[in-house]
Amino acid sequence: MERLEDHVWDTMETSDHDLLAQYRKGDAQALGRLVERYRRPLFGFILNMTEGRQDADEIFQETWFRAIRSLDSYREHKFLSWLFRIAHNLVIDHVRKAKPTAEVPRDAERAEDDPVNRLPDPAVRPDEQAHGRDLGTRIRRSVAQLPPEQREVFLLRMNAQMPFKEIAKLQGSSINTALARMQYALAKLREELKDDYKDLAGVRP
């Protein structure tokens, strides 16, 4: 039977600020809750900006290591935006060190944690599940083919719901540039997926 305290714990979400304060006082579980809270958007972003699961795992872990080491100097208003800035810099470093490649990341290496891959409802028919998986593969492939700056804006906006002001700051660009990159990304994805993903046509930057 569900305990009352479990229900209260789940429904009254502790703020990032409070969890960080608890961690600074020695509560390791508070940090674990933060990691789980932002695992999906952060890992999904990294995965889509790198070449596969192994690279994404390494950068995800390094993002948290650097965040933990810098907590004493953390003064940001939004913790998630701060994490994305750390991840963004690590991805850039990784790309600079990696050998140039024209390959699109292998579909098999795209983890099921990928936020772009919307898992179908388990109640749907097997043929509908198969269609959903195929669609997820086409979406991931199309997103992976976007220019890096456009791909990053798209992922930050769609998966992390990051404001364009924050995206522009992260990329070192103007808001208009960030908006334009989103518009170009959506236009390319609409054209690429127009035959089987009509819902994307309703997305607005």
Side-chain angles (χ1 to χ4, degrees), residues 2-205:
E2 183 184 24
R3 296 178 302 173
L4 177 59
E5 56 266 33
D6 290 337
H7 176 74
V8 173
W9 182 266
D10 291 336
T11 57
M12 298 181 63
E13 185 172 317
T14 309
S15 69
D16 292 348
H17 177 79
D18 289 340
L19 287 175
L20 287 171
Q22 292 172 18
Y23 175 68
R24 289 188 178 105
K25 293 178 181 178
D27 184 356
Q29 290 186 351
L31 178 63
R33 291 183 63 191
L34 278 172
V35 173
E36 288 305 314
R37 176 175 293 179
Y38 295 126
R39 177 184 299 277
R40 187 173 179 84
L42 183 62
F43 184 80
F45 165 73
I46 296 170
L47 181 64
N48 280 278
M49 296 301 295
T50 53
E51 293 299 320
R53 180 63 180 260
Q54 182 175 353
D55 291 338
D57 282 335
E58 292 176 358
I59 293 176
F60 180 83
Q61 293 177 26
E62 182 62 23
T63 297
W64 281 103
F65 288 150
R66 293 197 180 189
I68 292 170
R69 289 197 299 265
S70 304
L71 277 182
D72 288 342
S73 60
Y74 169 71
R75 298 292 185 274
E76 300 284 341
H77 179 62
K78 293 183 179 180
F79 185 67
L80 181 59
S81 296
W82 184 60
L83 287 176
F84 270 105
R85 279 197 290 276
I86 296 174
H88 165 83
N89 292 332
L90 288 172
V91 168
I92 290 177
D93 290 343
H94 173 78
V95 171
R96 287 173 177 169
K97 294 176 182 178
K99 294 180 181 180
T101 176
E103 291 185 4
V104 175
R106 296 176 181 272
D107 291 333
E109 294 179 338
R110 310 304 286 184
E112 61 183 11
D113 296 325
D114 184 349
V116 178
N117 180 22
R118 304 304 183 189
L119 295 178
D121 189 320
V124 300
R125 299 191 310 271
D127 60 326
E128 292 175 335
Q129 290 181 347
H131 174 73
R133 287 192 294 271
D134 291 342
L135 178 57
T137 298
R138 289 192 291 273
I139 293 171
R140 292 194 301 274
R141 184 180 295 116
S142 296
V143 170
Q145 291 173 344
L146 291 171
E149 295 86 357
Q150 295 177 21
R151 189 193 325 157
E152 184 174 54
V153 172
F154 178 83
L155 294 170
L156 291 174
R157 182 62 176 171
M158 299 299 292
N159 297 336
Q161 291 80 50
M162 186 177 288
F164 281 104
K165 181 178 179 179
E166 292 290 333
I167 296 174
K169 183 178 179 180
L170 182 70
Q171 292 192 324
S173 67
S174 67
I175 293 181
N176 286 340
T177 297
L179 284 166
R181 287 171 176 169
M182 181 67 171
Q183 291 171 347
Y184 288 138
L186 288 175
K188 291 176 182 178
L189 292 175
R190 286 172 183 146
E191 178 63 26
E192 185 76 18
L193 303 167
K194 62 182 179 182
D195 293 334
D196 54 12
Y197 198 58
K198 300 183 184 301
D199 289 345
L200 191 64
V203 176
R204 294 292 182 270

